[in-house]
Amino acid sequence: MTRSEQMTRRSALVLAPASLLLGGCFDQPCEERNPAQKGFLDAVRGVTKPALASNNPLQIEEAARQCVALSERVSAFTDWCGVLGKIEGNAQSAAVTIEIGRQISLYAFNDWTLAFAGSLTDFFSTRSREPPPPGLSDAAIAALKTLRLGERVSLSGRMGEIAGAGVFDLSRLFGKSDAEHREFLQAPRLLARIEAIAAARKK
């Protein structure tokens, strides 16, 4: 091998890791590929970050309520991208957590008996005598059996009152301490009904 060939090879070896690193920097996170999902996440961060930085308990409390209100306005969503974080329970009482953005996740569950415990009973009775719908459709339960934890998924469903978020999450926030509101804003976990979930297609 000539001296010039050796220098060319060394240059290629030096540039390769750099190009890989730059390629990773420009790789768009999957949650930003859907404009509606990105808009929602940006709105949530726009509420939570200033409130947490303010160190003002009143701002933090109001931001927690606004965060839930934002999820209610989304209502139906389609082809959102996330990471399957946790599956709990069994097929009848499944609960699933899906990370849809950095420190922001959706939570859906099918066992509403927990939601009717304690003071929530009265709160629900003022809204409707009908129990909220299950958080996971039969199709979603079947699909979950084929997925792995930590896998990137595509999901569709509904957020807001139809999923109980306006009832359950807000009532959970009523009367809570500044520390509990702060904890909620640091990693919002919002309720949703998951109609469909599948392994995300690579783009």
Side-chain angles (χ1 to χ4, degrees), residues 123-180:
F123 191 79
F124 273 115
S125 66
T126 64
R127 298 292 293 254
S128 172
R129 296 293 178 182
E130 295 296 323
L136 293 155
S137 69
D138 290 341
I141 291 289
L144 282 172
K145 296 175 182 178
T146 68
L147 300 172
R148 301 186 309 275
L149 292 180
E151 185 169 4
R152 186 177 288 182
V153 295
S154 173
L155 60 152
S156 300
R158 298 188 68 87
M159 296 176 68
E161 290 189 11
I162 192 168
V167 177
F168 187 78
D169 269 12
L170 274 177
S171 60
R172 180 169 63 83
L173 293 172
F174 289 150
K176 296 298 184 181
S177 68
D178 170 52
E180 288 168 309

Side-chain angles (χ1 to χ4, degrees), residues 14-196:
V14 170
L15 290 173
S19 63
L20 289 173
L21 182 62
L22 287 172
C25 290
F26 290 107
D27 183 28
Q28 186 182 35
C30 81
E31 65 267 17
E32 294 185 3
R33 293 172 186 164
N34 184 312
Q37 182 178 0
K38 183 179 186 303
F40 170 70
L41 295 174
D42 288 346
V44 169
R45 293 184 185 112
V47 166
T48 60
K49 286 184 177 180
L52 290 168
S54 74
N55 203 28
N56 181 324
L58 297 181
Q59 286 190 37
I60 289 170
E61 179 185 20
E62 179 58 26
R65 294 172 187 251
Q66 288 181 24
C67 189
V68 175
L70 283 169
S71 74
E72 290 181 359
R73 290 190 210 117
V74 170
S75 189
F77 58 89
T78 304
D79 198 28
W80 280 22
C81 184
V83 174
L84 185 58
K86 185 184 295 185
I87 301 175
E88 300 169 283
N90 53 42
Q92 288 71 44
S93 62
V96 60
T97 302
I98 301 166
E99 299 161 11
I100 58 167
R102 189 169 53 187
Q103 294 182 306
I104 301 175
S105 60
L106 296 183
Y107 176 65
F109 62 99
N110 276 356
D111 187 0
W112 280 92
T113 57
L114 296 175
F116 284 95
S119 61
L120 288 180
T121 304
D122 294 334
F123 191 79
F124 273 115
S125 66
T126 64
R127 298 292 293 254
S128 172
R129 296 293 178 182
E130 295 296 323
L136 293 155
S137 69
D138 290 341
I141 291 289
L144 282 172
K145 296 175 182 178
T146 68
L147 300 172
R148 301 186 309 275
L149 292 180
E151 185 169 4
R152 186 177 288 182
V153 295
S154 173
L155 60 152
S156 300
R158 298 188 68 87
M159 296 176 68
E161 290 189 11
I162 192 168
V167 177
F168 187 78
D169 269 12
L170 274 177
S171 60
R172 180 169 63 83
L173 293 172
F174 289 150
K176 296 298 184 181
S177 68
D178 170 52
E180 288 168 309
H181 285 125
R182 190 184 301 273
E183 182 180 358
F184 173 78
L185 291 182
Q186 286 170 342
R189 189 170 76 159
L190 301 160
L191 291 185
R193 173 169 169 80
I194 306 301
E195 298 283 359

